[in-house]
Structures are given as structure tokens and as C-alpha cells.
Amino acid sequence: RPVIVDSWDGIEVTHGIVGIAARPVSLSRFDAATGTIDLSVIRDPRVVQAVRPHQGAYERAARCRRSALNAKGLLCADDARLVVKRILADQPRAEAIGRALAARFSEVIVDEAQDCNSDDVEVLHWLKRHGIPLVMLCDPDQAIYGFRKGTNEALRTFIQDVPHLTMNGNFRSSKIICSAAGTMRARGSTDLSVGKFHDTPHPILLMPYGNTANPNIGIKFIALATGLGVKNNI
């Protein structure tokens, strides 16, 4: 039975060449399908400098490590997608598994569907073709997984052919916050503030800061909140 982990961030590999020092690199940096590493996404120049001369060795070591983990039933999300793609490519097997899933599950719920990539959407098509009811919840303007090829286009095309409802009631934000958020949406819509504090008049305040942790941010936040009459319950 497979065990799905979110990523291989905690597992590191080295080039394995005897007598040559090696800087460890996270296994998650290597593409699941090809085993290659994209040095352009590594921010630490020291790591890039260490990997570049022995990139092939690093990639071979990473493929071996991933293969060993998969053999034990451990798969990251990308590994799982590859397994499903192989199943879908085998038409008789895909049909058999699709019928089995339809017989077992009354519906499949997909939360945060805006982060589905094209492979995920193909799985949704497969489930739909076998009559499995899908319940999907998504906000296209909240998509955050572009780095793993999450795309709105594949999902938008998919939902054009299925019934869908729009929810615009916002129980968390005031009218002022809803109006500001609406200006940053691709569809240009604004939520309806329906929560307890929907008429709160507090303005939106911006606090610029650098990339490093700054303890003054919390102090400034409390000062601003106090000045607006917001009680400090921290």
C-alpha cells in the first residue's frame, strides 16, 4: 500500500563520487519524471557551484534514491501523478479501475481545485467519464502552485461543461477589505461582506519590510491596532 508524502524536502542526496567533497541537495530539487535538476531555481550560488561539475552524478544518485523509496511504497505527490499517468495510458487497466472506483465511491470531493495541474485535471476527466460525481471547490484567484505547473486554463476548460455555482459571501472580511481584494482579481468581482464585522470602518494599512525577520513588525502592528480601537487579546 503506497504512502504519499508531500515532498522530498527532508531527504538529501550527494554525488557519491569517492574522494570528492559533495554538498547535499534536497531530492525534491530533481524532476520526478526525468531525474534532472534545474540549477536555475537554486538560489544559493554555492550549491550551484558545487553541483554543476558533477551534475550527472548527482542526478544518477537522485534517481537511485527515488527508486529505492518508491520500491518501499513511498511516493511524493509528483511520483503519484506519474503512476496514475501510466495507469491512464493502459486503456484496459484504466477502464477496470475506473469501474471499480465508480462502484466504491458515491462522490469525490476536490478541495482547493484551483491548484490542479493538467495531469490532475486529466484524472478528473477520467473520474467523470466513469460516472463518479465530483464536488469541487475552488477560487481561481487563489492559485499558488504555479511552481508545480498548476494552471487555471485546464481547470477552466473542464468546468465549462459541468454545473457550477458561485459563492461570494465573505464571513471574514469587512466591506473595505472585500473592495480592495476585488481590484486584484482577474474576474473583477467583489465579495459580499456578511460577517459580524462587515461594516467595520478600519482602513487598510500597509507595512513595508525587508526579507529578514523584524521583531518591530509585531510591535508596529499592535500599535496600529490599538490606535484604531482594536482590542489586543494576544
Side-chain angles (χ1 to χ4, degrees):
R1 177 176 298 179
V3 175
I4 309 297
V5 299
D6 188 55
S7 74
W8 297 129
D9 284 341
I11 296 181
E12 296 181 327
V13 297
T14 60
H15 55 54
I17 303 175
V18 178
I20 299 179
R23 182 179 288 271
V25 179
S26 171
L27 184 58
S28 62
R29 293 293 189 183
F30 297 83
D31 185 86
T34 65
T36 57
I37 184 172
D38 183 1
L39 297 180
S40 66
V41 301
I42 299 179
R43 296 182 178 181
D44 190 336
R46 296 171 298 177
V47 175
V48 176
Q49 185 178 5
V51 172
R52 194 183 302 279
H54 311 291
Q55 182 171 339
Y58 271 98
E59 291 172 349
R60 286 191 295 273
R63 284 192 289 268
C64 288
R65 189 65 183 278
R66 184 186 295 271
S67 178
L69 290 167
N70 292 168
K72 295 178 181 179
L74 300 173
L75 298 88
C76 73
D78 287 338
D79 296 330
R81 287 186 177 91
L82 292 175
V83 171
V84 175
K85 287 183 70 174
R86 288 196 292 268
I87 292 174
L88 295 184
D90 184 345
Q91 191 65 26
R93 188 181 182 194
E95 289 299 316
I97 295 178
R99 290 193 299 269
L101 292 176
R104 180 173 180 180
F105 298 103
S106 58
E107 68 180 13
V108 171
I109 301 175
V110 184
D111 193 16
E112 305 292 359
Q114 71 273 1
D115 295 317
C116 289
N117 62 25
S118 57
D119 291 336
D120 299 330
V121 174
E122 182 55 37
V123 173
L124 298 179
H125 279 291
W126 174 51
L127 296 174
K128 183 172 178 289
R129 286 196 300 269
H130 287 87
I132 302 176
L134 298 175
V135 179
M136 302 166 59
L137 185 67
C138 69
D139 182 352
D141 291 305
Q142 290 190 27
I144 61 174
Y145 286 105
F147 67 90
R148 70 178 188 194
K149 301 178 182 178
T151 172
N152 285 335
E153 293 307 314
L155 185 65
R156 290 182 191 276
T157 301
F158 177 79
I159 64 177
Q160 285 177 356
D161 298 327
V162 297
H164 55 276
L165 301 173
T166 299
M167 298 187 296
N168 63 355
N170 189 318
F171 290 84
R172 295 180 176 180
S173 305
S174 67
K175 293 178 181 178
I176 293 174
I177 294 176
C178 288
S179 296
T183 64
M184 294 179 280
R185 286 180 168 173
R187 60 184 186 274
S189 61
T190 300
D191 285 347
L192 178 64
S193 180
V194 294
K196 179 179 178 180
F197 301 103
H198 64 281
D199 283 327
T200 298
H202 300 323
I204 295 175
L205 304 175
L206 301 179
M207 293 190 299
Y209 60 93
N211 293 329
T212 57
N214 187 343
N216 294 325
I217 294 175
I219 297 174
K220 181 65 174 179
F221 175 83
I222 293 175
L224 290 171
T226 302
L228 293 171
V230 178
K231 294 182 179 180
N232 178 18
N233 294 321
I234 301 177

